[in-house]
Amino acid sequence: MYIGFLEDDDFGKVLFYTRKGMRSVRMKWNKYQQLEVTMPRIPSIDEMKGILDLNRAEIKALRARVESREPAFYEGQIIPCCRYHLEISRKPKASQYYDFGFSPGRGCFFISVPQQCDIAGSAAGRALKACMKKLAHRHAAAIILPLAEDVAHEKGCTVRGFVMGRGLKKLGHCTRDRVISLSSTLMYYPEELVRYVICHELAHLKEMNHSAAFHAECNRLCGGREKELEQKLRSFPLLCC
Ligand SMILES: [Zn+2]
């Protein structure tokens, strides 16, 4: 259960959770680079601060390990997208701007970084992620919405409509009015996983909760692969967040 957050000078926004039956405190850096602390019972603010102070060195070491695993951006990188790919290149002439868009000639998305910048550095990393988000806001609808219509048609589901959302944590959402919203971030997932997210939302047309009946329907829609695809989705390394 989420109980709240603390702002910490070293770690930024730290999220606190409790879980019954836990014996000790658990800490992890999530994929949004936020520290999550899970405790056996609800702590006071002083206890929350105390946990961070006591484990400061260990938390920093944990972050270093997570960061070293994180794939950095580099020149010539090809980032797969749903049905397309994105190429990272360096500008041939001096410039301080990042350019991005779709190149009809090359049939792919591109981001050109300023000639003198350190692509693997954290400043370029932030700028590249921002470019990726803008690209998704502009182009995801043209890729994801027709795919969603196709999947709904294939599965014989009647939807009122599909719309693009901007959520990062929530990849999809189905309203009681049978409108399904899909995150523009899906553009950076493989088609197989995008189809899975669509099937999950289509299953909500029958079952609005996550009950056993819901999972049976979702599993049916994704050809008996719900568990496998959910696992793949959870471990997919999303570069734009
Ligand atoms: Zn759901």
Side-chain angles (χ1 to χ4, degrees), residues 172 200-201 204 208-210 214:
H200 178 108
E201 298 312 326
H204 277 311
M208 284 308 284
N209 46 32
H210 289 119
F214 164 81

Side-chain angles (χ1 to χ4, degrees), residues 150-163:
D150 284 353
V151 175
H153 184 73
E154 268 169 38
K155 309 289 175 186
C157 300
T158 314
V159 188
R160 194 137 163 246
F162 288 103
V163 292

Side-chain angles (χ1 to χ4, degrees), residues 7-230:
E7 285 291 344
D8 182 86
D9 286 347
D10 284 333
F11 311 129
K13 189 174 179 178
V14 182
L15 310 172
F16 283 82
Y17 298 84
T18 56
R19 193 184 297 162
K20 272 190 199 158
M22 270 183 81
R23 292 198 182 161
S24 54
V25 176
R26 236 183 278 162
M27 284 171 286
K28 71 162 195 175
W29 287 92
N30 69 19
K31 65 175 180 177
Y32 307 105
Q33 280 93 47
Q34 282 177 321
L35 179 64
E36 293 180 2
V37 181
T38 310
M39 304 178 70
R41 58 181 177 78
I42 296 179
S44 66
I45 299 279
D46 282 344
E47 280 174 313
M48 286 155 84
K49 286 182 182 158
I51 291 276
L52 297 182
D53 286 338
L54 202 65
N55 297 287
R56 213 157 274 279
E58 193 195 329
I59 298 169
K60 283 182 185 169
L62 199 63
R63 178 168 60 188
R65 280 209 298 279
V66 170
E67 280 175 353
S68 67
R69 275 209 313 265
E70 205 186 315
F73 292 103
Y74 51 90
E75 191 174 347
Q77 187 173 7
I78 305 283
I79 299 170
C81 302
C82 182
R83 294 187 166 177
Y84 293 92
H85 67 269
L86 163 65
E87 288 180 10
I88 308 286
S89 59
R90 198 182 285 281
K91 285 189 170 182
K93 288 184 190 159
S95 159
Q96 58 187 106
Y97 300 107
Y98 286 73
D99 283 341
F100 56 87
F102 183 78
S103 160
R106 285 183 284 163
C108 68
F109 295 101
F110 67 89
I111 302 178
S112 312
V113 305
Q115 197 183 45
Q116 65 283 10
C117 98
D118 167 21
I119 298 183
S122 59
R126 280 194 297 277
L128 282 162
K129 285 176 186 186
C131 292
M132 284 179 76
K133 283 179 193 158
K134 284 182 191 161
L135 266 177
H137 292 159
R138 276 185 212 168
H139 298 278
I143 301 169
I144 304 298
L145 297 182
L147 177 58
E149 299 282 357
D150 284 353
V151 175
H153 184 73
E154 268 169 38
K155 309 289 175 186
C157 300
T158 314
V159 188
R160 194 137 163 246
F162 288 103
V163 292
M164 289 318 293
R166 290 192 171 198
L168 292 176
K169 285 194 177 178
K170 217 172 191 181
L171 293 175
H173 178 66
C174 178
T175 69
R176 293 199 178 272
D177 299 336
R178 305 177 77 79
V179 173
I180 291 175
S181 142
L182 297 165
S183 167
S184 56
T185 318
L186 284 170
M187 182 170 133
Y188 298 115
Y189 284 85
E191 183 172 339
E192 174 183 64
L193 294 181
V194 179
R195 283 177 169 269
Y196 165 61
V197 171
I198 296 164
C199 286
H200 178 108
E201 298 312 326
L202 291 173
H204 277 311
L205 295 171
K206 278 200 178 156
E207 304 284 339
M208 284 308 284
N209 46 32
H210 289 119
S211 61
F214 164 81
H215 287 295
E217 173 64 2
C218 179
N219 197 38
R220 185 184 74 78
L221 291 175
C222 41
R225 297 177 64 208
E226 189 201 17
K227 280 207 173 110
E228 175 205 336
L229 293 168
E230 177 65 27

